[in-house]
Amino acid sequence: MNATHSGGRGAPDLSRPVVLDLHGVTDKTAFMNRCVRALPLPVWFGRNWDALADCLADMRRPMAIVVTGWQAYAEASPDEWGIAEEVFSAAARASVEGLTVLLSLGGLEDPTDRPAQGSDD
């Protein structure tokens, strides 16, 4: 899966995506911490898969999310990464406002702006 389709009416602005940088992430806790830092999630976000799916589907405006540096997480925790992909896909389909999730295969990352490895543990 390299992209999920926008499920809602709005067209996300692909020229101004929200970047979810997963460099250094190898487990669910670090993944959820990165989501909290990068995405406009409500303060009550429960840091679990169901809450992430609900929050993403309920965004109040069209949004494009570009996920970078995800490959190490996918390799270290393939089952968790599979769930993350399902969450992104389900949220994009359920989104009323329009959500697009794109997986970067490279080229978008700024190596000088990476969070320190293990900074979310």
Side-chain angles (χ1 to χ4, degrees), residues 1-4 70 81 84-86 88-89 101 103 105:
M1 177 180 115
N2 291 328
T4 61
W70 55 271
W81 177 247
E85 285 185 308
E86 290 174 25
F88 289 141
S89 182
V101 179
L103 302 182
L105 298 177

Side-chain angles (χ1 to χ4, degrees), residues 30-65:
F31 174 82
M32 292 295 173
N33 288 340
R34 292 288 175 88
C35 287
V36 167
R37 283 192 355 212
L39 305 174
L41 300 171
V43 293
W44 53 262
F45 173 63
R47 295 181 191 231
N48 63 65
W49 298 118
D50 290 335
L52 182 60
D54 291 344
C55 290
L56 290 175
D58 291 341
M59 291 291 168
R60 302 277 185 220
R61 62 180 174 84
M63 181 181 306
I65 300 171

Side-chain angles (χ1 to χ4, degrees), residues 64-84:
I65 300 171
V66 176
V67 184
T68 63
W70 55 271
Q71 293 91 337
Y73 182 35
E75 187 175 314
S77 302
D79 292 339
E80 287 178 12
W81 177 247
I83 294 169

Side-chain angles (χ1 to χ4, degrees), residues 5 12 25 40 47 58 64 72 76 79 94 97-98 103-104 121:
H5 298 285
V25 169
R47 295 181 191 231
D58 291 341
D79 292 339
E97 294 300 322
L103 302 182
S104 172
D121 296 333

Side-chain angles (χ1 to χ4, degrees), residues 103-120:
L103 302 182
S104 172
L105 298 177
L108 233 161
E109 298 86 1
D110 178 358
T112 62
D113 193 33
R114 288 188 190 162
Q117 188 165 0
S119 64
D120 293 316

